[in-house]
Amino acid sequence: MDGANDEQGQRQTRTGRPPATSRAALERVGFELFARQGFDRTTVDDIAGAAGIGRRTFFRYFASKNDLVWGDFEAELVKLDGLLTAADPAAPMMDALRGAVVEFNHFDPAAVPWHRQRMALILRVPTLQADSTVRYASWRTLVTEFAAQRTGRASSELLPRLIGHTVLAACIAAYEHWLTDEQASLGGLLDLGLRQLAAGFDGPALP
């Protein structure tokens, strides 16, 4: 057995699990460690060791520990862009946005606990906030550009910018509420939040 294989065998014996060979498997190992040790106290080396891989292999999957928390964010942006593009052009703009956002945030029940943990890290860990700001900006840009197209304005104008910012804020508010209530429906909260945003805040709250 060569040195690399011997090292891998030692890792597998030590961790009691086969080496992680996918982004999803490595995410799960990382989330398990974050839950047990805390995000800040968990290192890339900790994750790599628990996953039965080397540090260099970890970086083939993720550029940083922060990237692991966000998963394949670029693919998610492509998904959201596709949903917005496919939205019914005859539907009112906010109805189309609401439908796309609710569908974008629909998860298989088996994936919900992992997504809940992911969002708890993103929204509650201070060291992830700067990174979150950059990623939120990319998400917000897609909504802003959609609003610009629907309103016939440039994306640099106030109205599309306002829509992008407020839709993001409504989604974050829905997620924060969802994290405090395990019985709540994420889709229901997003739907309600975006309906309230479209209706305005001067009147009575929507049921």
Side-chain angles (χ1 to χ4, degrees):
M1 181 180 292
D2 62 30
N5 288 336
D6 183 56
E7 180 184 2
Q8 185 181 62
Q10 290 175 0
R11 288 198 192 99
Q12 182 168 341
T13 299
R14 183 172 66 249
T15 62
R17 72 166 85 217
T21 55
S22 71
R23 291 175 64 99
L26 197 52
E27 281 181 36
R28 295 203 170 212
V29 172
F31 284 173
E32 288 171 4
L33 288 176
F34 298 150
R36 190 161 62 245
Q37 302 175 181
F39 179 80
D40 291 328
R41 290 191 298 275
T42 301
T43 67
V44 167
D45 287 334
D46 290 336
I47 299 169
I53 61 174
R55 180 183 176 88
R56 290 176 63 183
T57 302
F58 175 92
F59 288 120
R60 291 175 190 164
Y61 292 103
F62 299 102
S64 68
K65 185 174 67 169
N66 289 8
D67 282 341
L68 183 147
V69 174
W70 279 89
D72 195 351
F73 184 68
E74 294 303 318
E76 291 301 304
L77 288 180
V78 170
K79 176 184 173 182
L80 176 60
D81 189 39
L83 289 169
L84 292 171
T85 300
D88 182 0
M93 179 187 64
M94 290 303 295
D95 287 351
L97 265 174
R98 188 179 72 255
V101 168
V102 170
E103 176 61 27
F104 175 70
N105 287 279
H106 176 76
F107 298 92
D108 184 277
V112 169
W114 293 103
H115 187 59
R116 186 180 290 275
Q117 186 178 357
R118 185 193 306 280
M119 294 308 299
L121 289 166
I122 289 170
L123 292 173
R124 294 174 176 173
V125 175
T127 51
L128 282 168
Q129 297 309 300
D131 191 49
S132 298
T133 299
V134 174
R135 296 177 193 263
Y136 285 151
S138 298
W139 191 98
R140 189 177 63 239
T141 294
L142 292 180
V143 175
T144 300
E145 290 174 348
F146 176 83
Q149 292 170 0
R150 285 299 185 99
T151 60
R153 299 169 183 263
S155 58
S156 58
E157 291 188 48
L158 177 60
L159 181 59
R161 287 181 188 270
L162 181 61
I163 293 168
H165 278 269
T166 54
V167 167
L168 176 61
C171 291
I172 292 174
Y175 262 102
E176 288 177 342
H177 188 83
W178 181 63
L179 291 176
T180 67
D181 183 358
E182 293 192 2
Q183 303 305 313
S185 161
L186 175 59
L189 290 171
L190 288 165
D191 183 83
L192 179 60
L194 291 174
R195 284 180 185 277
Q196 187 71 70
L197 179 64
F201 305 115
D202 288 335
L206 295 175

